[in-house]
Amino acid sequence: LHSARVIAERVRRGVDENTQNSEERATPVTVSLGVAELGDKEDFDMLLNRADAALYRAKLAGRNTVSD
């Protein structure tokens, strides 16, 4: 989970750094990401639901964030 969060943060920061100074872009571009780790007794649908919930939390936190 820690590694996934680090990678997600790199992606978020990369998008932020490469789009904020664009004169052609009228609308700011942000990325919110949710990460989750597959538990011992979970199936893929459970993992996907937890990742989706983490994404929703990231958006509620003000967008342009990573949540787990």
Side-chain angles (χ1 to χ4, degrees), residues 32-34 53-67:
S32 294
L33 300 156
L55 173 59
Y56 189 70
R57 284 191 301 276
K59 289 180 177 184
L60 285 176
R63 301 189 186 264
N64 204 27
T65 58
V66 175
S67 180

Side-chain angles (χ1 to χ4, degrees), residues 31-43:
V31 175
S32 294
L33 300 156
V35 294
E37 182 177 30
L38 185 64
D40 290 335
K41 297 185 180 186
E42 287 185 318
D43 61 19

Side-chain angles (χ1 to χ4, degrees), residues 1-15:
L1 184 61
H2 174 74
S3 296
R5 192 173 172 86
V6 168
I7 291 168
E9 183 58 33
R10 282 186 200 152
V11 170
R12 188 209 58 77
R13 194 176 326 113
V15 170

